[in-house]
Amino acid sequence: MEQKTETISVVVPAYNCAPYLTDTLQSVLAQTVQPLEILVIDDHSDQETQAILETFSHQESKIHVYRNEENRGVAYSRNRGVSLAKGDWIAFLDSDDQWAPEKLEKQLAMLKSKNGVFGFTGSAFMDESGQRYSGIFEVPETVSQTELLRQNVISCSSVMIRRELMVRYPMKSDDIHEDFDAWLRILSEVPAAYGLNAPLLIYRLSPNSKSGNKLKSFRMNYKTYRSVGLSPWKATANMYWYTKNGLKKYKNIKK
């Protein structure tokens, strides 16, 4: 019997991202293994962003654009994309990030070889204008819930995960690290997520992002620990490791 070809749905939340959106979508269309569909959830963006999305959706049949009636945030938008997806796998990509051309192909092959259901990759970095930094963020072969509590090594835009897992574990509100919260809850069921230690994600560093604002990120991380059920004492203990490991994360990333 011929083995079924597994399909991938790419979910892209988009909000006022016109300067980056074309490059982001083109990096998906350039994949050596093409997704079944690209679901762009327009979170009530400005007209410039809408115009780009309208052009792409008319030119590329696999790009489907869904507009939120009001601005609902990235967690809601990703969840909406998952609910609309038809693929076996979900691959998340933020609207200012990009993928290397072989990202989906290599990651899918790795997950199938390990019979895995949850994967992530390493990252390269660029600035707001698209200029690349030297240095990469390397990731381990596997990460458990206990290990992830000490450092979030899973970049959302690098994730490929079985759709049914994201249906069962939707992302929560944007006042926490909504993706980190989801990964921790998923890893209460799944023994480990599998890392592919190659810079297949090109992550855009922005001082205005949640991760770029260190104090805001620190506070949100504590709230994430509490959201997944850690006591105040355990949350505080893990914050020590979060801070220590977080300082190492970008130390080799230079212009």
Side-chain angles (χ1 to χ4, degrees):
M1 182 183 293
E2 186 176 347
Q3 192 172 16
K4 175 182 177 290
T5 300
E6 296 194 327
T7 55
I8 304 167
S9 296
V10 178
V11 174
V12 182
Y15 177 65
N16 294 354
C17 51
Y20 318 121
L21 187 55
T22 295
D23 288 341
T24 296
L25 293 177
Q26 286 179 342
S27 80
V28 181
L29 294 169
Q31 290 296 297
T32 54
V33 164
Q34 280 289 293
L36 172 70
E37 58 190 354
I38 303 167
L39 305 171
V40 183
I41 311 303
D42 173 16
D43 197 16
H44 209 76
S45 296
D46 55 28
Q47 291 185 347
E48 190 176 2
T49 300
Q50 289 182 56
I52 293 171
L53 290 174
E54 185 175 355
T55 298
F56 268 99
S57 64
H58 285 154
Q59 293 177 348
E60 300 289 344
S61 61
K62 67 179 57 185
I63 294 182
H64 308 283
V65 179
Y66 301 89
R67 180 172 168 82
N68 294 339
E69 293 184 2
E70 59 183 0
N71 181 254
R72 298 294 298 271
V74 69
Y76 175 91
S77 297
R78 290 196 189 114
N79 292 340
R80 186 180 181 192
V82 170
S83 72
L84 293 164
K86 298 180 176 67
D88 302 301
W89 297 88
I90 299 292
F92 292 110
L93 180 60
D94 286 349
S95 58
D96 56 350
D97 296 333
Q98 297 171 33
W99 286 337
E102 67 277 16
K103 191 266 187 188
L104 294 182
E105 179 180 10
K106 287 187 173 181
Q107 190 171 32
L108 183 59
M110 181 270 290
L111 285 167
K112 290 172 72 173
S113 73
K114 297 180 180 296
N115 199 28
V117 294
F118 181 8
F120 59 102
T121 78
S123 306
F125 297 89
M126 59 183 166
D127 64 16
E128 288 190 277
S129 67
Q131 295 297 308
R132 293 282 288 267
Y133 289 82
S134 63
I136 61 173
F137 179 59
E138 297 190 352
V139 295
E141 288 187 8
T142 63
V143 64
S144 66
Q145 186 192 59
T146 299
E147 292 164 333
L148 194 67
L149 283 167
R150 294 190 167 197
Q151 183 183 14
N152 183 11
V153 296
I154 302 177
S155 297
C156 189
S157 288
S158 80
V159 164
M160 183 184 291
I161 189 166
R162 298 295 295 192
R163 179 173 57 85
E164 59 265 26
L165 278 174
M166 290 312 306
V167 170
R168 288 207 302 277
Y169 294 97
M171 295 187 185
K172 296 182 181 178
S173 66
D174 291 359
D175 63 346
I176 60 174
H177 288 305
E178 73 291 328
D179 53 338
F180 186 30
D181 173 89
W183 313 149
L184 289 169
R185 288 184 288 117
I186 289 166
L187 288 172
S188 68
E189 172 186 338
V190 176
Y194 290 91
L196 180 56
N197 191 26
L200 302 178
L201 163 65
I202 303 96
Y203 180 87
R204 194 180 303 272
L205 292 172
S206 170
N208 298 320
S209 68
K210 286 191 288 188
S211 58
N213 185 326
K214 298 304 180 187
L215 180 58
K216 181 179 181 181
S217 182
F218 185 91
R219 290 171 175 166
M220 291 174 69
N221 213 74
Y222 180 83
K223 291 175 72 174
T224 303
Y225 287 144
R226 297 288 287 132
S227 173
V228 297
L230 268 64
S231 67
W233 184 88
K234 286 188 176 180
T236 301
N238 277 287
M239 284 301 298
Y240 165 78
W241 292 106
Y242 162 80
T243 304
K244 182 177 180 179
N245 292 326
L247 292 173
K248 297 177 183 178
K249 185 172 182 178
Y250 301 110
K251 71 176 184 179
N252 296 321
I253 310 304
K254 300 176 182 177
K255 281 283 193 176

